[in-house]
Amino acid sequence: MCLEVFSEPVTTPCGHNFCKRCISEAWAPEGPCTCPLCNRSYDRRPELRVNSLVLEMVSQFELEAEKSHDTSGDVSCDVCSEPKLKALKSCLVCLSSFCETHLQPHLTVSGLKRHQLMEPVENLEDRMCPKHQRPLELFCGTDQSCVCTLCVLDHKNHELLSLEEACEPSRSSHMVEQRKLKVQEIQRCVELSDTEVHRERAVGLQAFTDLMQSVQRRQDRFLEELQEKQSRSHKRAQELVQQLEQEICELEKSSTEAERLSRSQDPLHFLQSCPALTPPAGLKERSSMSFEPEACEGSAARALSELEKHLCEDFNKLFKQLASDSNKAELKRVQQFVVDVTLDPDTAQPWLVLSEDLKQVHHTDVKKELPDSSLRFDSCVSVLGKQSFSSGRFYFEVQVKGKTEWDLGVAQESINRKGVIYLGPENGFWCIVLTNKDEYKACTDCSVRLYLQRAPHKVGVFVDYGEGLVSFYDADSADLLFSFSGCCFREKLFPYFSPSLNFGGSNSAPLVLTAEETFRGQSDEEQE
């Protein structure tokens, strides 16, 4: 009934065999029943018995089929009916596997001969590109995914390998080593972050302590001034009271004497002798006398005003110091990624002169006879670094002392090197420039003027490829000159230099690359 291999085969009284489940579902629990094959009728549902012979045959068949399927992980033919034979090949066009018999059309029919055959595999759909419906034949190391040949257009400049190369043990070892290095880098970054947190905590606590001590000193001074005013007022009041009390005593004495003489009957003698009518010598008129204590009103407002003024001064001083310390710490951080950069003679414009160690470059009025190539700048007095970078972070430093014009930065590999060149991210350049002795600019889409506090003698260039960041520093003062952020790098980056024209000797000083060992030595000293 189900046309499948028997499951619990049972026999009817008429001699026909069915799966127990199939016949049970076909017959009603009670009442007349009919054999599905011969239509023999039964008044009541007959008793079904297991057919031992058929059951043994089914068991043997399933055992053989299982052995055939499990032998050395063989793939079964998708065309064979049960039992399925072992497949010899899989077709990536038909998305099916074929045994020797069913494979013949792919070996003889002209249209099928063009199909792509491979060793038999299961789940052929998983081996097809869901976007282009083509076989996944390549591995993108950048995105860590399998791609077809048409996907290559979406993986430009990515690391593409054959499936066999991607599976090589050496590559796996390389990937393991690469990840170990990443783990070390992350751990180092965490350590640096912890160190920076501790340093910032110490700096911040000291700054707040200094500010709080400054406020406390001014509060103490305010209270002392109020106390001094109060003490002076009390002293002045006490002096006046003592003076008045002395005068009262003298006046009372004179009044007593006058009362005694007033009893005399001789008016002349009274007037001649009574001191009350003549005030004691030096006694002042006190009717207009007043006492004004030293004014305290507004003292708190004046104290707060002075506090605000002094705090602003302290804040500015402290902020400048902290900013300076922060800049120095930031510069030290990026200097840990210093790389040894040398100039690439194959890219140098013919009017440029490079030193033997490829660390200096300047412009002359004599053109050298050099072979032209697609790598060389032919008009602009420019040169690239020999080293390229397509990941991670790197830093290099260039001495610009004594120059009146220069260009510095990084450039992508595909930049135009012929004719007039316009610096800017849209053309693959991330640079800052000096022109007219003191005009500094960042070469953005629309040029940005930079107003620097001092002319830098050395410029540091830091690039974080993954973060899309290019920053320029005054290497002596640690001031950040400018940053390009949010950049989208898709190619190799090269250090870019232009000493500009020498202008009759006024700009003949070379651009000088600082040696990597200088920073390595500083780092070692700090660790010690």
Side-chain angles (χ1 to χ4, degrees):
M1 295 176 67
C2 62
L3 302 182
E4 298 291 342
V5 178
F6 280 114
S7 174
E8 294 186 81
V10 294
T11 303
T12 62
C14 55
H16 296 116
N17 298 298
F18 302 96
C19 297
K20 183 177 181 181
R21 180 179 178 180
C22 293
I23 193 64
S24 297
E25 292 178 351
W27 282 353
E30 296 180 359
C33 301
T34 303
C35 175
L37 290 180
C38 66
N39 292 325
R40 180 176 175 179
S41 298
Y42 302 95
D43 295 334
R44 56 183 299 179
R45 182 172 178 171
E47 183 180 357
L48 298 175
R49 297 182 180 275
V50 176
N51 190 322
S52 301
L53 178 61
V54 175
L55 179 61
E56 184 178 353
M57 292 174 59
V58 168
S59 299
Q60 187 65 29
F61 175 81
E62 289 178 343
L63 180 61
E64 293 296 330
E66 183 177 354
K67 286 183 179 180
S68 175
H69 184 271
D70 293 339
T71 302
S72 66
D74 292 337
V75 177
S76 300
C77 176
D78 291 327
V79 182
C80 286
S81 58
E82 298 294 346
K84 292 181 177 293
L85 299 179
K86 174 184 174 182
L88 293 183
K89 294 290 182 179
S90 293
C91 177
L92 291 175
V93 178
C94 301
L95 295 181
S96 298
S97 299
F98 304 101
C99 64
E100 182 177 6
T101 301
H102 294 115
L103 181 64
Q104 291 304 312
H106 279 77
L107 303 178
T108 56
V109 179
S110 58
L112 297 179
K113 284 183 178 181
R114 292 193 292 269
H115 287 195
Q116 186 174 351
L117 299 176
M118 61 179 296
E119 293 303 311
V121 293
E122 294 181 344
N123 302 322
L124 283 168
E125 294 82 0
D126 296 339
R127 295 175 170 269
M128 302 297 291
C129 174
K131 182 178 180 179
H132 301 108
Q133 295 302 312
R134 293 179 66 89
L136 298 173
E137 300 176 295
L138 300 172
F139 180 78
C140 176
T142 305
D143 293 338
Q144 293 292 300
S145 62
C146 296
V147 298
C148 71
T149 53
L150 294 181
C151 290
V152 172
L153 298 176
D154 299 327
H155 294 258
K156 186 179 180 182
N157 299 319
H158 288 192
E159 181 187 14
L160 295 174
L161 304 169
S162 67
L163 299 180
E164 292 76 13
E165 290 175 334
C167 294
E168 288 180 358
S170 59
R171 173 167 176 79
S172 298
S173 301
H174 172 71
M175 294 173 68
V176 169
E177 187 63 28
Q178 188 181 53
R179 280 154 178 76
K180 286 183 178 179
L181 292 175
K182 282 294 181 183
V183 169
Q184 295 177 1
E185 180 182 345
I186 292 172
Q187 291 174 341
R188 179 171 175 77
C189 288
V190 170
E191 292 174 0
L192 291 175
S193 176
D194 291 342
T195 302
E196 184 176 350
V197 168
H198 291 315
R199 184 188 67 81
E200 284 297 317
R201 182 176 183 274
V203 171
L205 286 176
Q206 185 61 49
F208 280 107
T209 299
D210 291 344
L211 289 174
M212 288 188 290
Q213 289 177 348
S214 177
V215 173
Q216 186 64 49
R217 285 195 302 270
R218 285 169 175 77
Q219 175 184 307
D220 294 342
R221 188 179 304 170
F222 166 66
L223 295 176
E224 287 174 5
E225 290 177 354
L226 284 181
Q227 185 64 39
E228 289 174 359
K229 287 183 178 181
Q230 186 180 29
S231 298
R232 287 195 297 268
S233 296
H234 284 182
K235 183 178 180 181
R236 173 63 178 158
Q238 186 177 6
E239 289 175 351
L240 289 175
V241 169
Q242 289 177 350
Q243 185 177 353
L244 289 172
E245 287 178 346
Q246 184 178 358
E247 291 180 359
I248 290 172
C249 184
E250 292 177 0
L251 288 172
E252 286 179 346
K253 182 179 179 181
S254 298
S255 177
T256 302
E257 182 64 20
E259 183 178 354
R260 185 182 65 78
L261 292 174
S262 66
R263 299 190 186 98
S264 173
Q265 300 296 323
D266 187 353
L268 179 61
H269 175 72
F270 172 78
L271 292 175
Q272 290 176 342
S273 305
C274 183
L277 300 177
T278 304
L283 200 64
K284 300 179 180 179
E285 176 63 38
R286 299 299 188 183
S287 60
S288 60
M289 178 184 176
S290 63
F291 170 72
E292 294 289 341
E294 287 195 43
C296 294
E297 186 178 354
S299 296
R302 287 193 297 273
L304 289 176
S305 177
E306 291 180 3
L307 174 62
E308 180 184 17
K309 175 184 176 183
H310 289 296
L311 281 180
C312 286
E313 294 174 356
D314 293 343
F315 267 120
N316 290 334
K317 181 179 178 181
L318 187 60
F319 181 77
K320 288 180 180 179
Q321 182 62 43
L322 290 177
S324 176
D325 293 344
S326 177
N327 289 343
K328 290 178 181 177
E330 173 66 13
L331 182 59
K332 283 186 178 180
R333 184 186 70 82
V334 302
Q335 283 177 341
Q336 295 178 85
F337 303 100
V338 63
V339 292
D340 186 19
V341 174
T342 54
L343 303 171
D344 185 358
D346 293 335
T347 65
Q349 196 244 21
W351 278 273
L352 294 180
V353 175
L354 277 57
S355 61
E356 291 185 4
D357 61 358
L358 301 178
K359 293 286 187 178
Q360 301 185 27
V361 58
H362 67 276
H363 175 258
T364 65
D365 296 325
V366 179
K367 180 181 180 181
K368 297 191 292 293
E369 294 297 328
L370 298 173
D372 190 19
S373 72
S374 59
L375 300 178
R376 191 179 304 282
F377 293 94
D378 63 351
S379 297
C380 293
V381 286
S382 304
V383 60
L384 296 179
K386 201 173 188 67
Q387 293 72 25
S388 64
F389 306 90
S390 57
S391 63
R393 288 166 282 190
F394 62 94
Y395 174 87
F396 61 92
E397 220 169 69
V398 184
Q399 178 179 304
V400 296
K401 183 179 180 181
K403 296 194 66 60
T404 59
E405 290 197 3
W406 48 258
D407 305 346
L408 284 178
V410 293
Q412 64 186 20
E413 187 174 21
S414 63
I415 55 169
N416 174 39
R417 310 184 190 198
K418 306 300 181 182
V420 178
I421 296 175
Y422 297 96
L423 301 181
E426 70 279 6
N427 296 321
F429 294 88
W430 292 266
C431 301
I432 64 172
V433 302
L434 166 65
T435 59
N436 299 327
K437 297 183 180 181
D438 59 359
E439 293 182 9
Y440 296 89
K441 297 178 182 179
C443 300
T444 58
D445 294 340
C446 49
S447 185
V448 175
R449 180 76 180 270
L450 306 179
Y451 297 94
L452 310 184
Q453 295 182 355
R454 59 186 295 276
H457 290 172
K458 284 193 296 184
V459 176
V461 183
F462 172 69
V463 177
D464 189 328
Y465 193 99
E467 291 294 325
L469 176 69
V470 182
S471 297
F472 299 85
Y473 296 87
D474 182 331
D476 295 318
S477 68
D479 292 336
L480 177 64
L481 306 180
F482 187 79
S483 283
F484 293 90
S485 59
C487 308
C488 186
F489 302 130
R490 298 186 180 275
E491 302 179 25
K492 293 180 180 178
L493 294 181
F494 292 82
Y496 171 80
F497 313 91
S498 174
S500 193
L501 303 175
N502 61 32
F503 295 112
S506 63
N507 189 39
S508 59
L511 291 176
V512 183
L513 283 162
T514 304
E516 178 190 14
E517 289 74 14
T518 302
F519 300 104
R520 297 299 185 198
Q522 291 176 356
S523 178
D524 294 341
E525 290 175 5
E526 290 174 0
Q527 291 178 1
E528 293 175 1

